[in-house]
Every structure is written in structure tokens, then in C-alpha cells.
Amino acid sequence: MKRHLTRLPAMAAAVCTVALLAACGSDDEGGSGSAATPTPAAKKLKVAMVTDIGGLNDRSFNALAYKGLKDAQKELGVDIRAVTSKSNADYVPNLSSLARQKYDVVFAVGFLMADATATVAKAFPATKFAIIDFSQGELKGKPKNVEGLLFKENEAGYLAGYLAGLYVKKQGGDQVISTVGGQKIPPVDGYIAGYQAGAKAANPNVKTLNAYSQDFVDQAKCKELALNQIEEGSQVVFQVAGQCGLGALDAAKEKGVEGIGVDADQAYIGSFMLTSALKKIDEAVVKTIKDTQADGFKAGTDTLFDVKSNGVGLGKVSADGEPFADQVEEVRGKIAAGEITDIPAEVK
């Protein structure tokens, strides 16, 4: 049986099918219809997002942002549109196109879109932009029409690592766990650094392996790295590489070891999934849209989502992880209460 840790609701992964369009070599999904009538006082908004190169079918990061758009369409009656970027060169034209179409809020999904967001926000000062995983204050020129949506991935990673450390301690054998990251960027390293620290807090004898695929799409690259780690004794593989990371989980399944998902709750992949480190991007998107409807868009600032605010956490815990769920929940409570604060966010 799988269960949720207390006060850690799991998010269903959104799997989206995109329609091929000609503009900017991108896939585009959206529409002007709304699934619910907004409240009389609510403004009718047009809201859009631009994915990074991971695309909507990554089953984690970009898919969660799109889930947030669809939830807002249903709950708030907004019109939505999603544009998929095929390459980094698409970021500026895709963001610019949506700004020209007078969308009220445009979400830039991901750290890799920072330079493009800064450029387009400066060119379209009347458009509101929200960028996920990058601070507004660190954008070039610090554009005042941008809100940064930030997450404490290190806290979610710590919880996942604590569970993994306890698991291998009980299992015996090689006290080894591992991570496969996409690129060495802050949102990825936050998860990994927290995971390593949590594992060592639970099991000082644990050894942690880490590798970067330099890719967020090609599953074969991540699978190869994970297979190498499993050969070195890893009993738990944590993927932090979006769509590419699905290959790492496939390696874990193939070799009979545990997997840990990222961003979305990926428990549906199989019973070998120990848990998932959650980043509730969908809820952050809905909150930002609600704020905008209420004339409360936080332009020129950042909004932080952490364990205390229930913005990050763990997903479903498998039967193999169930014996340790109460211990992990106790740690979660200590993080929320500020009793555990020295969680690293950078991989040394």
C-alpha cells in the first residue's frame, strides 16, 4: 500500500498532448474556451506559458506548469495557451509572440529561460511575466514587470534523501544511493545537495553518487548514467533530469532497485518508486493567476514556496518506504518549524 505523508498531498503528473503549429517551430496547445464561468467580480484573463526544451511531455516540470494553467481554466475561467519550445532559440520569439497577443500573464517555465525573459520583459513593459526557478532580482536589468517563483528544492531533496538513507540502512549490503541530474544549475543542485545531506543525516555510512547527463530530454543518456551507478552499488536512484530522467527510472526498474521521482508525483510509474520529491509548480501557477485577477500580481519581487508553506515535499511513499514514513514526517515537521535549517542547496 502507498500513502501520503501527513500534510503532503501528492500531485498527479500531467501528461499533455500538443498540437503541431508552424509558429517559431513550436508546438502550441491552448484555446479561448473556459471550462467554468468566473465569479462576477473576477476579471477574465488570458494566460499563457512557454515551456523550456523539455516540452509538455516531460511528465514533471513543464507538465506541472501546464496542469496549473488547466486548473486555473477550470477554477477561474481564464483563457489559456501553451507554447512548446523546440530549442533555446525559440524562447525569445515565443515569449514575444504571446506579449504581442496581449496575454495578461506569461509564464516562462524554467531557469534556462532567464536571459530570454529579461530581454522580452524589457521590450514589453506592459505585460506581466512570471518566471519559474529564477529570481526577479537576478534577471538582467531587474525588470519590474516580472515575478520570480522560487522553490526550496533542497528541502524536498532532504526528505527524499532521509527516506533513502533509512531504506538502505535496513536493506544492508552496499550503502550506496545516487542521483542523475540534467545540468548543474541551481534548481537541479538544490534537490541533489538536499538529498545527499538528508541521506547522511539518516545514515552516516551512506555513500552518494552523482552524475549529470547535460540533457533534459534524451532518456538514453540518463539511463546509461543510472546503470553505471547501479553497477557501483546504488540501491536508490533519484532522477533530477526531467524527461531524460525517466530513463534513469527505467534503469532502476530494470535492475530491481528503488527509484525516486522529481517535481511531480511519479508513483504511477511502478511499485519500485520509493517516493517523489515534489515541487508544486501547478499550485504556484494557480496562485499567481488568482493574485493577478485580484490586482495583486507581485511584480518586481519573488514568491518562495517551501516545506513550511507546503510548496515542496514528498509524494506517495511505497510499501518499501512505509516503515520509515513516520520518521520522515517527523523530519518534515522540524523543517517546517525551523528546527532544521542548515540544508545545503549547492553540490560541492
Side-chain angles (χ1 to χ4, degrees):
M1 296 290 293
K2 294 176 181 283
R3 76 170 186 178
H4 297 281
L5 291 177
T6 307
R7 290 170 290 163
L8 290 180
M11 297 182 295
V15 183
C16 309
T17 304
V18 293
L20 184 64
L21 294 185
C24 297
S26 303
D27 290 332
D28 201 314
E29 176 152 335
S32 58
S34 61
T37 302
T39 57
K43 293 182 178 180
K44 180 73 170 181
L45 298 182
K46 292 172 58 181
V47 184
M49 63 173 273
V50 175
T51 75
D52 66 10
I53 57 176
L56 290 174
N57 62 346
D58 63 0
R59 291 193 274 174
S60 59
F61 187 76
N62 290 286
L64 279 175
Y66 187 54
K67 179 180 181 295
L69 284 192
K70 292 192 295 182
D71 288 347
Q73 182 185 48
K74 181 178 179 180
E75 180 181 348
L76 306 173
V78 300
D79 295 341
I80 65 172
R81 186 178 179 190
V83 179
T84 302
S85 302
K86 299 287 186 165
S87 71
N88 294 343
D90 289 337
Y91 296 158
V92 168
N94 285 344
L95 290 167
S96 298
S97 175
L98 294 171
R100 290 191 190 96
Q101 294 172 56
K102 307 296 183 183
Y103 277 85
D104 296 287
V105 185
V106 178
F107 289 88
V109 186
F111 182 91
L112 299 177
M113 299 183 68
D115 288 345
T117 301
T119 297
V120 178
K122 180 179 179 181
F124 297 90
T127 301
K128 299 177 179 68
F129 294 89
I131 182 168
I132 296 169
D133 282 350
F134 205 94
S135 170
Q136 179 273 341
E138 294 181 7
L139 290 172
K140 292 180 181 178
K142 301 180 180 181
K144 297 299 183 182
N145 54 330
V146 179
E147 177 181 358
L149 305 180
L150 304 178
F151 298 81
K152 284 204 168 183
E153 295 93 352
N154 59 327
E155 294 183 349
Y158 189 93
L159 293 173
Y162 201 90
L163 177 59
L166 293 175
Y167 170 78
V168 297
K169 185 177 182 180
K170 182 181 179 182
Q171 285 294 106
D174 293 330
Q175 297 295 289
V176 182
I177 64 173
S178 62
T179 45
V180 176
Q183 292 182 19
K184 187 175 173 56
I185 58 177
V188 171
D189 268 14
Y191 275 127
I192 295 171
Y195 179 77
Q196 293 175 342
K200 290 175 182 177
N203 180 0
N205 294 321
V206 77
K207 177 183 178 181
T208 59
L209 306 175
N210 179 50
Y212 299 95
S213 63
Q214 304 303 329
D215 197 295
F216 286 101
V217 179
D218 189 345
Q219 295 184 30
K221 292 181 180 179
C222 285
K223 183 171 183 177
E224 181 179 0
L225 293 175
L227 287 172
N228 291 338
Q229 293 172 343
I230 294 167
E231 197 169 307
E232 292 183 56
S234 177
Q235 297 192 58
V236 184
V237 178
F238 177 26
Q239 79 97 344
V240 194
Q243 185 178 354
C244 176
L246 297 176
L249 297 180
D250 187 52
K253 181 179 181 180
E254 183 178 300
K255 295 299 182 179
V257 304
E258 303 289 315
I260 295 180
V262 74
D263 295 334
D265 192 338
Q266 297 181 321
Y268 64 90
I269 293 176
S271 60
F272 71 98
M273 295 295 293
L274 190 65
T275 190
S276 298
L278 303 184
K279 180 157 68 173
K280 301 180 183 179
I281 296 167
D282 54 340
E283 296 180 12
V285 167
V286 173
K287 180 184 183 301
T288 303
I289 295 170
K290 284 182 177 179
D291 288 346
T292 305
Q293 276 194 331
D295 293 325
F297 181 80
K298 298 178 177 63
T301 63
D302 295 327
T303 300
L304 180 64
F305 300 87
D306 56 10
V307 161
K308 184 177 181 180
S309 66
N310 205 29
V312 301
L314 287 189
K316 292 178 181 177
V317 174
S318 72
D320 288 340
E322 181 70 20
F324 318 107
D326 289 341
Q327 290 170 266
V328 177
E329 169 58 20
E330 183 179 353
V331 171
R332 189 210 66 80
K334 289 181 178 180
I335 294 174
E339 296 176 29
I340 298 177
T341 57
D342 57 343
I343 302 174
E346 183 179 349
V347 177
K348 301 298 184 181

